Amino acid sequence: MDAVVIGAGHNGLVAANVLAEHGWRVLVLEEQPAPGGAVKSGELTEPGFTSDLFSSFYPLAAASPALDAMELERFGVRWRRAPLAVAHPQPDGRCASLSLDLGETASSLERFAAGDGERWRSFYGIWEQAGSPFMDALLRPFPPLRGSARLAAALGPRGLLRFTRFALLPVRRMAEERFRGEGAAWLLAGNALHADLTPDSAGGGLFGWVLCGLGQQHGFPVPEGGAGRLIDALVARLRAHGGELVCGAPVSQVIVRGGRAVGVRLHDGSDVSAARGVLATTLAPTLFHELVGDQHLPRDFVADLDHFQLDNGTLKVDWSLDAPISWIAEDAHRAGTLHVADGIDALTRTTAQLTRGMIPDEPFLVMGQYASVDPTRMPAGREVAWAYTHLPQRVRGDAGPDGLTGAWDERETEAFVARIEAQIERRAPGFRSLIRRRHVFTPAAFEAANRNLRGGALNGGTAQVHQQVVFRPVPGLARPATPLRGLWLAGASAHPGGGVHGAAGFNAARAVLHAWRLGAVERAVRQAPLASAR
Ligand SMILES: Cc1cc2nc3c(=O)[nH]c(=O)nc-3n(C[C@H](O)[C@H](O)[C@H](O)COP(=O)(O)OP(=O)(O)OC[C@H]3O[C@@H](n4cnc5c(N)ncnc54)[C@H](O)[C@@H]3O)c2cc1C
């Protein structure tokens, strides 16, 4: 093989596609029986009801140059969008809504404070001005010369400075500076907390702004028929370009010879050689400590890796329901994604519990429902829904009354699922009576389904500023190259991190191609005098 890719998540498949379309012989090796990583769908609860097992909505994909280049639509993906990207409903019927229609979002926020509608329009103006160059800078290879130049041109020198300050704001402060009512704070904070940020962490506002900007512009799209359609398309495209995929093939070792990665060893003892490069989409610590071995790596790199921080754990419940959820808040019926939390103070309270290692007593939920977005996923009149919440990686206690320890045996799982369902029931009375079947992913179940989801970490490592850009996965240059020649990091542990955008895989593949071309030029130059001497 020219290249071996470890892991058939979307990043691995994007990387393999890029190499295959350049004529390389590429083999993707996937440990699990099916490709997809954290992008999979199937009949999780009962026949006829399609659930997304992990990731579900794809605003980052909508803005991603990497996935754009994959021409997913040509390979069968049809996007569907709910009229409201996100709703944040409350038990008293109030609801903050992020609509694809700017006027509707503005009206929703105006109900929280006079003038907030207009304030949203001007807040969204920042996105219209800076959003595209910012996403360019974020998702294209580092250093982001083109994106930064575009950002500077759009904002000017003082504007750039103001934007840098804006980007560092905690989400609570961003909402306080820009709005008077609670609604906008709910939208921004709810979006920021998809990652392991708190309302008070530096840079959290930027996450909220990005997801709200994307939601306002593109909605939160989902592939018709389930998340797995994205993977079907990537696999079909890969095969069309001659790339190969083998599932049920765990890689246990990166083979190092002469200070260079030259192939991989599979769990069954067989070797696959990779003449030009090995691209890995595993968690960074797994790759370096377990598959490569510290003896092949610089000491300071290994020491830095010991400071790598996982993101919070996750517990997710999927339901098949007899009917769409009976939300009190009207708007919530038209949203694909929902945030369930009392408000920004409640989010600070919950995230403080997580920081202290406590299992939250009132978990914050990110939730999805599909009847109004993609009715192909369930029988007529029924509903498919899910909710996930964050958990501490190391549980020290339970902030609730059930004495949970993080063992997640049957009793603990049932008690915690009851907490989750109670949060929804307060906003949609009768929710529980709609439940036909449920499926629960505990942190251990996540890890068994995909070893990258260690302890239920869904982001490939924390999304906090100290592990972003040049600090991801360790202080360096935010590039996919690793200290071991011939080995490249191509998954969510690499810049630009978690989420379904394919940038980590795409950028790694481009870097490998570039390095190979440079190497070819060097080899040609080295051989030239010999040739002329002959
Ligand atoms: C519950 C959940 C909800 C999420 N929601 C969203 C969302 O709505 N929108 C969004 O954009 N993002 C979401 N994310 C995040 C997003 O799904 C991930 O960041 C992204 O899918 C990571 O892609 P990847 O290709 O880098 O890694 P993965 O998808 O983890 O793929 C890596 C693959 O490598 C395989 N592998 C690992 N080790 C080996 C080995 N030694 N040998 C062979 N194979 C190996 C794994 O089995 C896996 O298939 C969510 C994640 C989770 C878990």
Side-chain angles (χ1 to χ4, degrees), residues 7 10-11 30-31 37-38 55-57 251 282 450-452 492 499-500:
H10 84 291
N11 272 314
E30 168 56 50
E31 165 168 49
S55 59
S56 305
F57 43 86
V251 171
T282 53
N450 174 354
R451 72 162 113 163
N452 279 11
V500 176

Side-chain angles (χ1 to χ4, degrees), residues 375-413:
T376 69
R377 298 186 184 205
M378 76 285 303
R382 308 285 192 222
E383 177 62 294
V384 166
W386 56 266
Y388 74 66
T389 191
H390 296 305
L391 293 169
Q393 275 289 344
R394 246 185 247 147
V395 175
R396 293 211 191 103
D398 183 7
D402 303 304
L404 305 180
T405 63
W408 303 121
D409 54 19
E410 208 179 318
R411 180 195 78 80
E412 292 205 3
T413 304

Side-chain angles (χ1 to χ4, degrees), residues 519-531:
V521 171
E522 266 173 39
R523 278 190 298 277
V525 169
R526 272 203 308 271
Q527 282 162 10
L530 287 179

